[in-house]
């Protein structure tokens, strides 16, 4: 496996996972959380995403096939769940729920598994990319190299997540509210695109 392939793999994963684009979404989903709680969420979400993508690197579509789930169905389901999160961001439902809860650690929101790890980081695109990259390998060492590239990309994601407090401070309360609404719209559009892609893959759309 040459360096050009690894560079291509890095560029592909970087674009698909989009660490820069995930940072403001992470800020919006963890609005009001302190630095320690955000750090815990960032580490947990990146760790879960790494585990999920590693699993699909080795077993690929066999994992989904074993439980009778196709990649298009995975896209559609992920899109619907992501759309529900977008609605929460648009109508401040998350903020209202937080205000109704006691101010203790267990009451803080935990979006690390869903939607941050899945499907924002380890989404259908990232899963498909890892499956395709693994399909171009012929040895365990080459697969290890691809996983190393994945780790580097996730470290970049983690770096942006850990910088969330600085970014939030720079934006201010009003800026965060505006960004949250805007990202809610973009997240809703992304979720609809997931559903459209899934329907197109099964031939439901022309």
């Amino acid at each position: 496996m040459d360096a050009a392939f690894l560079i291509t793999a890095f560029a592909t994963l970087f674009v698909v996972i989009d660490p820069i684009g995930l940072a403001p979404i992470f800020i919006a989903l963890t609005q009001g959380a302190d630095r320690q709680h955000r750090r815990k969420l960032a580490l947990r979400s990146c760790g879960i995403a790494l585990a999920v993508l590693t699993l699909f690197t080795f077993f690929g579509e066999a994992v989904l096939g074993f439980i009778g789930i196709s990649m298009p169905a995975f896209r559609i389901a992920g899109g619907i769940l992501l759309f529900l999160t977008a609605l929460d961001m648009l109508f401040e439902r998350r903020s209202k729920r937080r205000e109704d809860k006691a101010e203790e650690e267990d009451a803080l929101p935990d979006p690390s598994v869903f939607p941050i790890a899945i499907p924002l980081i380890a989404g259908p695109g990232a899963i498909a990319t890892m499956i395709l990259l693994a399909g171009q390998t012929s040895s365990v060492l080459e697969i290890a190299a691809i996983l190393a590239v994945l780790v580097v990309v996730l470290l970049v994601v983690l770096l942006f997540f850990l910088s969330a407090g600085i970014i939030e401070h720079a934006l201010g309360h009003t800026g965060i509210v505006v960004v949250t609404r805007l990202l809610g719209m973009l997240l809703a559009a992304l979720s609809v695109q997931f559903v459209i892609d899934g329907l197109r893959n099964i031939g439901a759309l022309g």
Side-chain angles (χ1 to χ4, degrees):
M1 180 178 292
D2 57 13
F5 178 80
L6 293 178
I7 293 174
T8 301
F10 175 82
T12 303
L13 280 172
F14 191 89
V15 171
V16 170
I17 295 177
D18 189 15
I20 299 174
L22 286 178
I25 297 178
F26 178 80
I27 293 173
L29 291 174
T30 60
Q31 184 179 355
D34 57 30
R35 181 177 179 181
Q36 182 179 1
H37 187 63
R38 269 189 171 152
R39 181 174 179 273
K40 184 186 299 183
L41 293 178
L43 290 170
R44 185 183 300 154
S45 59
C46 289
I48 293 172
L50 176 61
V52 171
L53 292 175
T54 299
L55 177 67
F56 279 95
T57 299
F58 284 104
F59 301 104
E61 294 183 358
V63 174
L64 295 179
F66 178 75
I67 54 179
I69 300 175
S70 65
M71 186 60 73
F74 187 79
R75 285 181 178 273
I76 294 172
I80 293 173
L81 293 174
L82 206 57
F83 186 76
L84 295 177
T85 299
L87 290 179
D88 283 350
M89 293 171 66
L90 284 169
F91 298 105
E92 288 189 305
R93 294 175 184 172
R94 297 177 62 86
S95 299
K96 292 177 181 177
R97 283 199 296 265
R98 282 199 295 269
E99 292 172 357
D100 294 337
K101 293 179 179 178
E103 295 181 355
E104 57 186 54
E105 177 70 16
D106 293 338
L108 290 173
D110 184 1
S112 58
V113 178
F114 173 84
I116 297 175
I118 306 169
L120 289 178
I121 301 177
I127 289 174
T129 299
M130 293 304 296
I131 292 174
L132 292 174
L133 290 174
Q136 300 179 50
T137 62
S138 57
S139 69
V140 176
L141 288 178
E142 291 180 342
I143 292 181
I146 292 175
L147 290 177
V149 171
L150 172 64
V151 169
V152 171
V153 174
L154 290 180
L155 285 176
V156 176
V157 173
L158 180 61
L159 179 62
F160 276 101
F161 283 1
L162 294 179
S163 303
I166 299 174
I167 299 173
E168 184 177 34
H169 180 72
L171 289 174
H173 177 71
T174 302
I176 289 296
V177 171
V178 173
V179 169
T180 300
R181 298 295 186 280
L182 178 60
L183 289 173
M185 286 294 297
L186 294 177
L187 208 56
L190 177 62
S191 67
V192 172
Q193 188 61 54
F194 277 3
V195 174
I196 291 175
D197 290 343
L199 293 174
R200 183 177 290 117
N201 288 340
I202 63 175
L205 297 176

